[in-house]
Amino acid sequence: MYHPDGEEVLNGHANVTKFDTFEEQEIIDFLTNNKVDGIILRAPAKITPPILDACEEVKAISGAGVGLDNIDVAYATEKGVRVLHAPKTNSQATAEHAASLILAAMKDIPQFHKETHLGNFGYRDGKYTRELYGKKLGLIGFGSIAQKVAKIMRFGFDMDVIVYVRTIHEERKKLAKSLDVELTLSMEEVFQKSDVVSLHIPLNDKTKELIDHAYFEMMKPSAVLINTARGGIINEKDLGSALKNGQIHRAGIDVFSTEPPPPDHPFFGLDEAILTPHIGGISLEAAKATSVIIAENLVKAINGEELETIVNGRELAKK
């Protein structure tokens, strides 16, 4: 759980077993030999078909965030297991983290920090940071996190903001007007025109490794790429090459296709890559609220209550 308060809620309703390792067979053995009513998991743990085959008593499974790419939802539905996601209680935290990575990349904070600690104060000579004022921010996606990033950067730093969306309808036009941002149906336009591109789309079959060398080639050499969404939406090898070859200036990355990333990951060793270990959504405030809501909703789902956060509720009702 993200916070002890969530564990306290669970402990008040159930006997809780915590796993610190995520070996598939270990989880299957436990499910086979124990009566388990519900499961909560955080990445990098996964709920796979073999695990679901062992979920004879399980009534509900909850992810610890909005994304459910680590749960086989379709197979869980076949097995009659409710799948829950967490409500968007961490959108402010994630938006602030995206903004922090933008600032770190544009101001080159990690490199200046490292050199200052080494006593190399003269590292600053001949080097310049860059202002955000008047620069163009491109957002890929326009969900709650992207909207908050737009608000922070538009009204806090006076950046021009362009947003890629798949459809433009009246409600979205009104939202864009309230945030003073431009909408476009062309993702290419965002990559070509932006000084900073920030990714805010889910990971699925259509978006897996969607952002690859073709998009990096469109970007300005001075541009920055930010990813606080899901690591798998980027072709990480292509991005590593783009950074190494000076094709783009910097990348701020909070998520990886495999977490934790392997020792030979293409971002490691690159000063151009600013890396954090998937911490965007776990501010103290968000962690506390999220953990409690996840725990409370899981208990309700196990007891048969209907909840908006049950993602496969309609499909299960048809069975």
Side-chain angles (χ1 to χ4, degrees):
M1 297 295 284
Y2 287 115
H3 192 276
D5 283 11
E7 294 189 20
E8 188 175 332
V9 172
L10 289 179
N11 289 329
H13 290 85
N15 294 318
V16 180
T17 299
K18 294 170 65 175
F19 284 82
D20 295 319
T21 62
F22 312 111
E23 295 296 328
E24 183 180 71
Q25 191 58 51
E26 184 178 349
I27 296 170
I28 290 171
D29 291 343
F30 186 85
L31 289 166
T32 302
N33 296 304
N34 297 272
K35 182 180 183 299
V36 177
D37 296 292
I39 299 172
I40 292 176
L41 73 153
R42 288 180 61 181
K46 294 182 178 181
I47 297 296
T48 61
I51 290 176
L52 287 163
D53 285 337
C55 289
E56 296 297 331
E57 304 284 347
V58 173
K59 300 178 180 68
I61 297 172
S62 177
V66 176
L68 292 171
D69 46 280
N70 58 339
I71 301 175
D72 192 324
V73 178
Y75 197 61
T77 304
E78 284 185 33
K79 303 292 289 187
V81 179
R82 292 176 158 197
V83 177
L84 296 83
H85 64 72
K88 298 175 182 178
T89 52
N90 66 351
S91 58
Q92 182 65 33
T94 306
E96 289 182 11
H97 194 71
S100 299
L101 288 172
I102 293 170
L103 284 163
M106 295 288 279
K107 304 299 182 182
D108 207 11
I109 290 172
Q111 195 65 22
F112 282 114
H113 169 83
K114 182 174 77 173
E115 296 296 335
T116 304
H117 267 284
L118 293 173
N120 188 10
F121 202 81
Y123 177 78
R124 54 171 280 187
D125 296 343
K127 294 182 174 63
Y128 302 95
T129 65
R130 290 184 294 154
E131 297 178 6
L132 279 70
Y133 174 82
K135 300 293 193 305
K136 185 175 288 290
L137 169 65
L139 300 175
I140 305 299
F142 203 31
S144 61
I145 295 171
Q147 292 166 28
K148 291 179 185 297
V149 173
K151 185 175 182 180
I152 292 168
M153 307 315 291
R154 177 71 189 117
F155 300 120
F157 295 92
D158 209 10
M159 294 187 80
D160 295 324
V161 181
I162 183 171
V163 184
Y164 164 74
V165 291
R166 289 183 297 176
T167 57
I168 298 176
H169 46 71
E170 285 305 313
E171 185 178 344
R172 192 162 278 166
K173 286 181 182 178
K174 290 179 182 178
L175 177 60
K177 185 177 181 180
S178 71
L179 293 171
D180 194 22
V181 303
E182 175 189 353
L183 299 179
T184 179
L185 297 174
S186 170
M187 197 155 70
E188 290 78 7
E189 181 182 9
V190 174
F191 277 87
Q192 290 166 354
K193 292 184 176 181
S194 300
D195 299 290
V196 179
V197 176
S198 188
L199 306 177
H200 301 281
I201 52 177
L203 174 63
N204 53 46
D205 291 341
K206 292 182 179 180
T207 62
K208 184 175 176 60
E209 296 194 353
L210 172 66
I211 311 302
D212 61 8
H213 67 92
Y215 287 102
F216 304 139
E217 289 171 0
M218 297 177 195
M219 297 177 74
K220 302 175 184 178
S222 59
V224 165
L225 181 75
I226 304 296
N227 189 14
T228 55
R230 284 291 185 267
I233 64 180
I234 291 179
N235 183 311
E236 294 174 328
K237 186 177 179 180
D238 286 358
L239 177 56
S241 296
L243 291 168
K244 191 174 182 179
N245 298 332
Q247 202 166 8
I248 63 174
H249 180 62
R250 291 284 186 274
I253 303 294
D254 185 51
V255 287
F256 301 83
S257 59
T258 299
E259 297 183 350
D264 61 347
H265 194 281
F267 298 163
F268 289 167
L270 295 177
D271 290 336
E272 297 82 5
I274 301 166
L275 310 177
T276 53
H278 203 157
I279 59 167
I282 51 174
S283 67
L284 176 62
E285 296 83 356
K288 184 174 181 178
T290 301
S291 67
V292 170
I293 291 172
I294 289 171
E296 291 176 342
N297 283 351
L298 182 71
V299 172
K300 290 176 181 177
I302 289 171
N303 291 330
E305 294 186 37
E306 295 301 323
L307 301 164
E308 291 183 1
T309 53
I310 299 174
V311 297
N312 59 348
R314 289 183 181 178
E315 290 78 5
L316 289 172
K318 296 175 184 176
K319 296 184 68 175

